[in-house]
C-alpha cells in the first residue's frame, strides 16, 4: 500500500471534515473494486469533497504534498480508468446537485457526482430532454460520463457526451478553478478547453460541474426485426434513414445467440420474436408526435420487407412492449457471466465495414481457438460493436484463457485494418493504454504527452491512464 505523508492526511481530514473522508478498510475495498469485479486495486484514503472550493483546496494540497489521486464517479468503468492503484480516491458522490436549469436556453448546470438519471429527471421536469441513455444510468455520474466521453444508445441522433456539453467547471492540477460553465453555443474565443477534459479520464483535471445541452421532448416508436445477415442490417439502417432521416435515434444489432443467453439467465425476459434467423435489430424513431413516429417507422419497415432486408418484425404497440425489447438488449452484458470465459472489447468501425469486420475478425479468432463462440452486439448506427469472444463454462477442454493476449491483439489489429478504433465509448484507462500507443500515430501520442506534461507537470492526476508520460 502506498504510504501517504502523515502531514497530508492530517490536513486533508481537517479540510474535508468528518463526512468528507474515510480510511475504513471495507469502504476502501469497495471503491478499489469496479462493478464487474474483473480487476481490483488499492487505495489508502478516500476523499469526498462537498463543494468546488473543498475540491480545489484538496487538489492544491495534493500538489503541495506530491500525492496522486484517482477521481471516481459511479465506479462503473470497464477499462481500469477509475480504479485506484495506490492513489487516493477522490469521490464526487457528495457533489450531486442540479445548480440551475434554463429551459429557454435549453441548458442545465449540474454537479459532477450526480447520477445520469438526475439530469434526465431534471430535464423532464422542465419539459425538456437530456438524451444520453445507457444501462448504468442509475449509477454512472455526470463527471465520469464526461471523463470517458460516454456514448450509449442514442449517439446516432444526439452524439456522444462530448457533443452534449456546453461548458465545464474544472479544478486544475494546481488547485486553480477554471469556471467555464458558459451556456453559450457560440463562443469562438480560442482553444475550446472543455473538449480537452471530455475523454481525458481525469488525467488533466478534476471535473466538478457541467452545463449540459437539453432538447425538446419526443415520443418514440420502437421495432424489433429479424434479419438474415449483417449486410442486410447495414442496408436496413440506410433505408430507415431514407424514410426517417435524423429522427432515427437508436439502431441496435443483436445476434440470435445473445437472445437465448439472456432468456436462460434472466428471469422475466422473453424473445420478442422467435426466429431461426441469425440477427435482430432493435430500432427507435423519435418525433414530437407519437402517431407520426409510428407511421414513419411502419412505412420504412414496409419498404424493408419489399426489399427483403427484413424477414419478420414487430412494432411495439405500447411503452411496456418497447421496454421489454430494451430489457433484452440491456441484459446482454450481465448475461455473459453464463460463459466460463469472455474476452470483451469495445470497438468501432465505419458502419459500411461492419459485415466485413465481423467476418474477418471471427475467422482470425477461430484460427486461434476453433471452439470459440461470439457475442457481437451494439450500436450499429454509429459503428460501435461490443465484440466478445466466449467459451462455455462447461467446455470439455477450456483453452480461451491461455489465448487472451493473442485474441486481443487479433481483434485490435482487425479493427484498425478496417479503419476503426479500439475504444469506442468505454475509454482507454490502463487497460488499453499501451495498445493504443502501439496503434496510434506517434505524433498523436507525443501531442497527448505534451498536453499532459503542460497541465499536470507533477503527474498527480490519475497517473498511468490514457497515455504514459
Amino acid at each position: 500500500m502506498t504510504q501517504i505523508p502523515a502531514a497530508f492526511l492530517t490536513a486533508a481530514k481537517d479540510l474535508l471534515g468528518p463526512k468528507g473522508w474515510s480510511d475504513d478498510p471495507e469502504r476502501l475495498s469497495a471503491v478499489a473494486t469496479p462493478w464487474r469485479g474483473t480487476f481490483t486495486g488499492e487505495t489508502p484514503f478516500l476523499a469526498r469533497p462537498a463543494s468546488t472550493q473543498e475540491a480545489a483546496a484538496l487538489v492544491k494540497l495534493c500538489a503541495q504534498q506530491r500525492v496522486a489521486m484517482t477521481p471516481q464517479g459511479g465506479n462503473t468503468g470497464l477499462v481500469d480508468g477509475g480504479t485506484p492503484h495506490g492513489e487516493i480516491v477522490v469521490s464526487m458522490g457528495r457533489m450531486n446537485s442540479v445548480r440551475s436549469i434554463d429551459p429557454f436556453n435549453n441548458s442545465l448546470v449540474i454537479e459532477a457526482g450526480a447520477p445520469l438519471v438526475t439530469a434526465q429527471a431534471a430535464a423532464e421536469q422542465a419539459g425538456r430532454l437530456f438524451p444520453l441513455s445507457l444501462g448504468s444510468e442509475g449509477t454512472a455520474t455526470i463527471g465520469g460520463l464526461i471523463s470517458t466521453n460516454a456514448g450509449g444508445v442514442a449517439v446516432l441522433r444526439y452524439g456522444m457526451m462530448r457533443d452534449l456539453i456546453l461548458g465545464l467547471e474544472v479544478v486544475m492540477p494546481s488547485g486553480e478553478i477554471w469556471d467555464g460553465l458558459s451556456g453559450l453555443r457560440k463562443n469562438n474565443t480560442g482553444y475550446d478547453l472543455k473538449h480537452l477534459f471530455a475523454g481525458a479520464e481525469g488525467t488533466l483535471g478534476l471535473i466538478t460541474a457541467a452545463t449540459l445541452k437539453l432538447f425538446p421532448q419526443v415520443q418514440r416508436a420502437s421495432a424489433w426485426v429479424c434479419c438474415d445477415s449483417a449486410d442486410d442490417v447495414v442496408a436496413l439502417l440506410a433505408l430507415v434513414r431514407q424514410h426517417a432521416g435524423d429522427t432515427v435515434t437508436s439502431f441496435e444489432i443483436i445476434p440470435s445467440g445473445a437472445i437465448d443467453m439472456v432468456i436462460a439467465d434472466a428471469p422475466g425476459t422473453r424473445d420478442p420474436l422467435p426466429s431461426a434467423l441469425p440477427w435482430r435489430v432493435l430500432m427507435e424513431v423519435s418525433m414530437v408526435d407519437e402517431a407520426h413516429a409510428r407511421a414513419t417507422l411502419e412505412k420504412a419497415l414496409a419498404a424493408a420487407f419489399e426489399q427483403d432486408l427484413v424477414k419478420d418484425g414487430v412494432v411495439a404497440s405500447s411503452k411496456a412492449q418497447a421496454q421489454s425489447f430494451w430489457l433484452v438488449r440491456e441484459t446482454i452484458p450481465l448475461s455473459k457471466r453464463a460463459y466460463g470465459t469472455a474476452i470483451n472489447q469495445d470497438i468501432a468501425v465505419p458502419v459500411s465495414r461492419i459485415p466485413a469486420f465481423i467476418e474477418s475478425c471471427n475467422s482470425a479468432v477461430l484460427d486461434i481457438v476453433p471452439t470459440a463462440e461470439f457475442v457481437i452486439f451494439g450500436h450499429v448506427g454509429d459503428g460501435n460493436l461490443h465484440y466478445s469472444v466466449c467459451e462455455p463454462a462447461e467446455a470439455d477442454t477450456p483453452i480461451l484463457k491461455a489465448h487472451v493476449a493473442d485474441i486481443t491483439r487479433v481483434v485490435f489489429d482487425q479493427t484498425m485494418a478496417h479503419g476503426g478504433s479500439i475504444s469506442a465509448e468505454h475509454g482507454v484507462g490502463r487497460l488499453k493504454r499501451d495498445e493504443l500507443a502501439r496503434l496510434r500515430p506517434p505524433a498523436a501520442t507525443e501531442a497527448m504527452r505534451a498536453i499532459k506534461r503542460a497541465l499536470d507537470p507533477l503527474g498527480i492526476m490519475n497517473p498511468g491512464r490514457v497515455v504514459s508520460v
Side-chain angles (χ1 to χ4, degrees):
M1 182 67 71
T2 302
Q3 293 297 314
I4 302 295
F8 170 85
L9 292 175
T10 300
K13 292 174 182 179
D14 289 343
L15 166 67
L16 298 167
K19 295 182 179 180
W21 64 274
S22 178
D23 57 7
D24 176 72
E26 289 189 10
R27 199 161 188 186
L28 296 181
S29 176
V31 298
T33 306
W35 72 282
R36 268 191 181 168
T38 50
F39 42 82
T40 57
E42 60 176 13
T43 182
F45 187 74
L46 169 63
R48 303 179 68 240
S51 68
T52 301
Q53 289 68 34
E54 279 191 8
L58 175 67
V59 173
K60 187 172 184 179
L61 180 63
C62 286
Q64 292 170 344
Q65 300 281 340
R66 305 296 195 269
V67 172
M69 71 188 75
T70 293
Q72 190 176 94
N75 203 16
T76 59
L78 297 170
V79 293
D80 202 2
T83 302
H85 292 274
E87 306 90 356
I88 70 165
V89 170
V90 181
S91 169
M92 304 306 294
R94 295 176 72 199
M95 294 187 61
N96 55 20
S97 298
V98 175
R99 292 187 184 174
S100 64
I101 187 164
D102 186 343
F104 294 109
N105 193 53
N106 283 310
S107 61
L108 168 74
V109 180
I110 189 169
E111 292 182 330
L116 174 55
V117 291
T118 300
Q120 294 169 337
E124 184 175 5
Q125 289 172 8
R128 298 293 185 267
L129 168 73
F130 183 65
L132 189 74
S133 179
L134 38 78
S136 59
E137 59 193 26
T139 308
T141 64
I142 297 301
L145 294 166
I146 295 170
S147 293
T148 57
N149 190 28
V153 299
V155 170
L156 179 60
R157 180 169 184 178
Y158 296 103
M160 297 183 71
M161 191 65 177
R162 179 190 304 278
D163 303 302
L164 301 174
I165 302 168
L166 290 173
L168 292 179
E169 178 184 81
V170 181
V171 177
M172 305 298 286
S174 63
E176 182 181 4
I177 299 170
W178 170 54
D179 183 355
L181 288 174
S182 169
L184 295 174
R185 282 164 172 77
K186 286 186 174 181
N187 184 4
N188 196 9
T189 53
Y191 302 135
D192 196 344
L193 297 180
K194 64 180 179 288
H195 288 302
L196 275 179
F197 300 101
E201 301 182 41
T203 61
L204 300 179
L206 179 64
I207 296 172
T208 51
T211 304
L212 305 178
K213 294 180 185 177
L214 303 182
F215 296 82
Q217 289 186 341
V218 293
Q219 302 297 320
R220 294 179 172 87
S222 306
W224 181 281
V225 304
C226 304
C227 298
D228 193 42
S229 68
D231 289 286
D232 286 348
V233 170
V234 170
L236 175 62
L237 171 61
L239 178 64
V240 174
R241 296 194 80 179
Q242 284 178 5
H243 286 266
D246 286 338
T247 67
V248 182
T249 305
S250 302
F251 201 91
E252 301 287 296
I253 187 171
I254 304 167
S256 59
I259 311 298
D260 299 334
M261 177 184 70
V262 167
I263 293 171
D265 179 66
T269 56
R270 64 180 185 85
D271 190 338
L273 199 62
S275 170
L277 292 169
W279 296 103
R280 310 290 186 271
V281 172
L282 171 54
M283 68 182 78
E284 227 171 46
V285 168
S286 54
M287 299 178 179
V288 174
D289 181 74
E290 184 176 0
H292 189 198
R294 184 180 178 88
T296 300
L297 184 56
E298 289 175 343
K299 184 178 180 181
L301 290 181
F305 274 109
E306 288 179 5
Q307 297 187 27
D308 205 28
L309 296 177
V310 169
K311 306 296 185 182
D312 201 359
V314 58
V315 177
S317 59
S318 66
K319 289 184 178 179
Q321 187 176 20
Q323 288 170 352
S324 72
F325 296 169
W326 280 105
L327 178 62
V328 173
R329 161 63 182 86
E330 291 172 351
T331 306
I332 293 173
L334 288 176
S335 290
K336 281 187 295 185
R337 62 193 170 193
Y339 280 99
T341 302
I343 304 171
N344 305 306
Q345 299 297 344
D346 158 52
I347 62 93
V349 295
V351 174
S352 59
R353 301 298 299 163
I354 286 175
F357 166 79
I358 291 175
E359 182 178 359
S360 64
C361 196
N362 285 7
S363 177
V365 169
L366 290 171
D367 285 342
I368 300 171
V369 180
T371 57
E373 298 181 12
F374 302 92
V375 178
I376 305 167
F377 66 101
H379 324 302
V380 70
D382 53 51
N384 178 195
L385 297 177
H386 301 296
Y387 185 95
S388 297
V389 182
C390 307
E391 185 173 65
E394 66 277 7
D396 293 334
T397 309
I399 60 173
L400 192 59
K401 284 185 178 179
H403 296 281
V404 171
D406 293 336
I407 289 174
T408 298
R409 178 62 63 90
V410 161
V411 175
F412 286 171
D413 287 347
Q414 286 289 327
T415 298
M416 299 304 292
H418 286 84
S421 167
I422 67 170
S423 178
E425 63 178 359
H426 293 164
V428 177
R430 287 161 49 103
L431 200 63
K432 296 186 177 183
R433 180 197 63 201
D434 295 339
E435 276 296 306
L436 188 59
R438 178 178 73 88
L439 297 169
R440 183 174 47 209
T445 298
E446 286 308 312
M448 291 177 67
R449 285 174 175 157
I451 293 169
K452 171 69 171 174
R453 293 187 188 110
L455 295 185
D456 182 23
L458 301 177
I460 63 170
M461 301 301 302
N462 217 14
R465 282 72 169 183
V466 183
V467 63
S468 59
V469 179

